[in-house]
Every structure is written in C-alpha cells, then in structure tokens.
Amino acid sequence: FDIEGVAEPVRLAFLLAHTEFEDKRVKFSEWGAMKSETPFGQLPILEIGDDSRKMTQSMALLRYVGTMEADGSLYPKEFMFEIEEAIALLADLDKAWGPALYFPRKPTAFGHDDPDFAKTDKGKEAVKTMRETFVSEELSKYCKFIENLLEKSGTGWIAPTKTPSIADCVAVPALRKFSRGFIDHVPSDCLAPYPKVVDYLERFCALPEVKGRYHDGIGGVPKEE
Amino acid sequence: FDIEGVAEPVRLAFLLAHTEFEDKRVKFSEWGAMKSETPFGQLPILEIGDDSRKMTQSMALLRYVGTMEADGSLYPKEFMFEIEEAIALLADLDKAWGPALYFPRKPTAFGHDDPDFAKTDKGKEAVKTMRETFVSEELSKYCKFIENLLEKSGTGWIAPTKTPSIADCVAVPALRKFSRGFIDHVPSDCLAPYPKVVDYLERFCALPEVKGRYHDGIGGVPKEE
C-alpha cells in the first residue's frame, strides 16, 4: 500500500544495503483481487529474481534483507541479541498502540455492540481518551526505554552497532509516525519531551541513503515546489 | 511467572539445545518489588553466568538461545527466512488474540467507560462473543496457514528444518494453549478441525526432551498420582 506501514523498515534496509529494489505500491482498490493470492492474505510481499516464491511477513523480510548485505553491518551476529531486544521492544510499543489505532475502525472487535460506535459522540470521546492516554502513559514509557538504549549503546544507534542496523530501520518509522501529525489526537510535538529520541530520528533521516525521503514529521524536509 | 506465558518458547529452546538452565518462576506477589529493577518492567529475564547483565525480551532471548547451540540446528542460517516467517505469522495470531484475552482485564483500554464492564451481564456477553468470534474466524484462518506451512516444509516441522527449530518452540505453546481448556469460551476441542495441527503438537510433545512436560491439552499426559 502507498503508506509507510509495515513495509517501511524493509525499504529502509534495502536503502542502507545499497540494494536496488522495485517498490511497487498496491492501491487499496486493487487489493481485493490480490488478497486471496497472497500466502497469508497480507502485504508486503517480496519477490526475488525469477524465483516464483512470494516471500512475506515484513519482520522476516527485514532480517533476510539484513543478511543479504555483503559486509553484514545491518545485522551483525555479535550484536544480534541487542538488535533483537530493541526490535522486540518496538513490537511491544506497536502492540500498545494497536487498540487506540484500530478501535475506531472496528469497535465490535473490542466488545462494543455498535459497529458505528466511533462515529457517535461517546465513541469519538472514547477514541480521544484512548489516544491521549496512549501518548501520556505508553509512548512516554517507551521513549524513556529507547533513550536508555541509545545511552547504553553509545554509538548513536539503538543497538551498539557502529552503523545503523535493522533495529534502527524498525525504530525510526515506528517512532517518527507519531510526529507526522496525521493521527487524530496525537499531536505532532508529542516526541518533543524526549530530545534524545528527536535527535536520533533526525540523525537517521539525515543519512545520505535516507535524506530527502520524508516530507513531514521529525527528520522530514518540506517538499520543493 | 509460574505460567507458560511468553517464556515457554525460550524454555523449550533450552531443552532442545540440551542446555541446563535454572527456571526461576516469580510469584505474582513478588513482582511488585522486582518490576522497577527490570530493564523494561517485564519478565522474563535471562542472566548468564557471572554476567550481571539482565537480558530481556523473550523473542530476542529465543533467537539468542537458538544460536547458543553448538550444531546450529535450532536456528539454521539456511532456513532463517522460513523460520522468521513462521514466527511472524504466530505473532500475528497472538496479536489477533490480544483484545479477546485482555479485554476483560482492562475494558477501559478498549473504549469502555466502566472498568468493571466485564463483570456486568453485557460485558460477559461481549467477552463470550469476542472469544467465539476469535475461534471461528481468526484461529481457523491461522490453523489453515499453519497446515499450509507444515505441508510445504515436508519435514514435519513448521519450517523446512530436519529437526525442530526455534519456530516450533514458538508455535507449540502458541497453539497448544487453546486446547488446554482453561480459557473461558475457548473449548478444549477447538483445534480438532485441524488434524495436521493436532498431529504436529502431539509429535513435538512426544520428543524425548519435551515428553512428560505438559499435563493438559493436546500432547499433555495426565499427571501420575
């Protein structure tokens, strides 16, 4: 899909590995016809060369791309544990964000009778409360953990790797999205209380391989007219 | 904690790696005092030798234990992608199960006003509906995907490894728990429509390293009196 979504860490890993890839974005209108032909009814899918195999699951693709790179610097064995620890922490953040994100789309999955609950005044209020609570409780907790990891690594990256690893490819989109201002009730300055996180995101986005890729949020540059 | 929980895949990996480990279960009553001293306020934690480092995040620990083993058969590089694909699919299953599991404990996280909603008649009905819907829609979908993976691998394991891999250490507790009969509204025969899944779980639980470990659900043996 033409969003950052779960594929963005894989795209970033390709960029950092200096490996060319065709980034084919699927339109939501095309998805209905495609879905049943995908292995698990999900995107993204990676097809390599003439291999007819459709590889899927973004986190598996990410590790795979991480090992494709010749010098192994994206996913070095010696820091495998630290990289995996950071990726798992970011998965926890994602899990904590899940209900607040998906609730308005499918309230019946969260114990509500009315599928249109999110359109009611009470429903709108509930979404606002959930998201504000997420920002004040969960996002703050995880940002502090991430500041701890950055401090512990001492290299400027989330794991103690000299250059960015696949953990940074996960961390940057996962954190940056909250600063992009497109999510109702999540203010674009919500990361401001965590200057080390802001500095980290800006530093990653300023890498030659990434520079100019983003046009909103922290590390984004305004589009030239 | 003295439950299978997220640590069980790590314990299974230690067993299959024939590596001794001290399985220290924390009582819920002890947790309050411990929590603030853990890196991310979570269990499990792994401490190795005299290293004072507290390693955490079960999925990172699992991969780490997977590479500790001498012959590398738990996490072989050649099938790394397939192993990761299966682990990611199981994470999706876990994510799909999340709301139905956690909703009764904390309904306010899911847009409800009343923290005791799950104790009301309406709340009880909502939990029942969510869990029954999970079994009929999500669990069935994932069991079919897992049957596909087992068929594709052809080795009897979820990834195409000759012997069990860390992906099986994740898959078995993740699937088996639904057959243990301790979750309200999830009947212990809910996996019966997926005979390949049942056969797979029984086969794993019959491995010499695992045999006799479980006393309920598929692959469990009754406790001797």
Side-chain angles (χ1 to χ4, degrees):
Chain A
F1 300 126
D2 193 17
I3 51 171
E4 288 193 12
V6 292
E8 188 66 7
V10 187
R11 296 187 197 110
L12 290 173
F14 270 122
L15 289 173
L16 295 182
H18 306 107
T19 304
E20 281 194 39
F21 66 106
E22 187 198 354
D23 185 11
K24 201 176 154 195
R25 309 281 177 123
V26 174
K27 290 196 180 73
F28 285 99
S29 59
E30 301 165 332
W31 176 233
M34 264 186 80
K35 188 173 161 82
S36 65
E37 287 167 41
T38 62
F40 305 129
Q42 294 176 326
L43 289 179
I45 285 166
L46 180 64
E47 296 179 83
I48 291 183
D50 294 331
D51 191 344
S52 63
R53 183 166 65 146
K54 287 179 178 172
M55 301 171 79
T56 184
Q57 286 293 359
S58 59
M59 287 298 111
L61 297 176
L62 176 73
R63 294 184 178 95
Y64 182 75
V65 174
T67 57
M68 278 168 64
E69 196 214 12
D71 70 352
S73 67
L74 270 176
Y75 192 22
K77 220 177 158 179
E78 61 175 314
F79 296 121
M80 190 240 216
F81 172 74
E82 288 82 358
I83 290 171
E84 290 296 344
E85 189 178 43
I87 291 176
L89 184 73
L90 292 155
D92 287 343
L93 168 62
D94 189 53
K95 216 170 177 173
W97 169 235
L101 171 65
Y102 291 114
F103 169 74
R105 296 190 211 164
K106 206 182 174 184
T108 53
F110 301 99
H112 296 269
D113 298 328
D114 179 4
D116 290 326
F117 177 65
K119 289 175 193 156
T120 66
D121 283 348
K122 209 178 155 190
K124 283 179 193 165
E125 194 54 43
V127 172
K128 186 167 180 278
T129 305
M130 281 169 86
R131 293 191 173 172
E132 287 176 351
T133 307
F134 168 81
V135 170
S136 65
E137 293 180 10
E138 299 293 327
L139 187 61
S140 67
K141 182 175 88 178
Y142 284 97
C143 280
K144 280 170 211 157
F145 288 150
I146 286 157
E147 293 199 322
N148 292 348
L149 287 181
L150 288 167
E151 196 164 331
K152 211 169 69 178
S153 95
T155 62
W157 306 115
I158 200 167
T161 53
K162 271 187 204 157
T163 52
S165 73
I166 56 170
D168 300 297
C169 296
V170 178
V172 170
L175 293 164
R176 225 184 63 84
K177 70 164 177 274
F178 298 114
S179 75
R180 292 178 59 202
F182 71 101
I183 309 168
D184 289 344
H185 315 300
V186 178
S188 58
D189 64 353
C190 64
L191 298 179
Y194 318 102
K196 280 177 204 156
V197 169
V198 171
D199 170 70
Y200 165 64
L201 297 177
E202 284 177 345
R203 206 154 10 85
F204 185 94
C205 294
L207 290 168
E209 294 88 348
V210 183
K211 205 172 173 176
R213 181 171 180 81
Y214 301 124
H215 302 293
D216 59 8
I218 292 169
V221 290
K223 255 192 181 143
E224 281 181 39
E225 294 298 318
Chain B
F1 299 126
D2 193 16
I3 51 171
E4 287 193 12
V6 292
E8 187 66 7
V10 187
R11 296 187 196 111
L12 291 174
F14 270 122
L15 289 174
L16 295 181
H18 306 108
T19 304
E20 281 192 40
F21 65 106
E22 187 199 353
D23 185 11
K24 199 176 156 198
R25 311 278 177 124
V26 174
K27 290 197 181 69
F28 284 100
S29 60
E30 300 166 333
W31 176 233
M34 262 185 81
K35 189 174 160 82
S36 66
E37 286 167 41
T38 63
F40 304 129
Q42 292 176 328
L43 290 180
I45 286 167
L46 179 65
E47 296 179 85
I48 292 183
D50 294 331
D51 191 344
S52 63
R53 183 165 65 146
K54 287 180 179 172
M55 300 171 81
T56 184
Q57 286 294 357
S58 59
M59 288 297 110
L61 297 176
L62 176 73
R63 293 182 179 96
Y64 182 74
V65 175
T67 58
M68 276 169 65
E69 195 214 13
D71 70 352
S73 67
L74 270 178
Y75 192 22
K77 219 180 162 178
E78 60 175 316
F79 296 121
M80 189 240 216
F81 172 73
E82 288 83 357
I83 289 171
E84 290 296 345
E85 189 178 42
I87 291 177
L89 184 73
L90 292 155
D92 287 344
L93 168 63
D94 189 55
K95 217 171 175 172
W97 169 236
L101 171 66
Y102 291 115
F103 169 76
R105 294 191 213 163
K106 208 184 172 184
T108 53
F110 301 99
H112 296 270
D113 298 330
D114 179 5
D116 290 324
F117 178 64
K119 290 176 195 156
T120 65
D121 283 347
K122 211 178 153 188
K124 282 180 193 164
E125 195 53 44
V127 172
K128 186 168 180 278
T129 305
M130 282 170 85
R131 293 193 172 171
E132 287 175 350
T133 307
F134 168 80
V135 170
S136 65
E137 293 179 10
E138 298 294 328
L139 187 60
S140 66
K141 183 175 88 177
Y142 284 97
C143 281
K144 280 169 210 157
F145 288 150
I146 286 158
E147 294 199 322
N148 292 347
L149 286 181
L150 288 167
E151 196 164 331
K152 212 170 69 179
S153 94
T155 62
W157 306 114
I158 200 166
T161 52
K162 272 186 206 158
T163 51
S165 73
I166 55 169
D168 300 296
C169 297
V170 178
V172 170
L175 293 164
R176 225 183 64 83
K177 71 165 176 275
F178 298 114
S179 75
R180 292 177 58 202
F182 71 101
I183 309 168
D184 290 343
H185 314 302
V186 178
S188 58
D189 64 353
C190 65
L191 298 178
Y194 318 101
K196 280 177 203 157
V197 169
V198 172
D199 170 70
Y200 164 65
L201 297 178
E202 285 177 344
R203 205 153 10 85
F204 184 95
C205 294
L207 290 169
E209 294 88 348
V210 183
K211 207 172 171 175
R213 181 170 179 81
Y214 300 124
H215 302 291
D216 60 7
I218 293 170
V221 290
K223 256 192 180 145
E224 283 179 40
E225 294 299 316

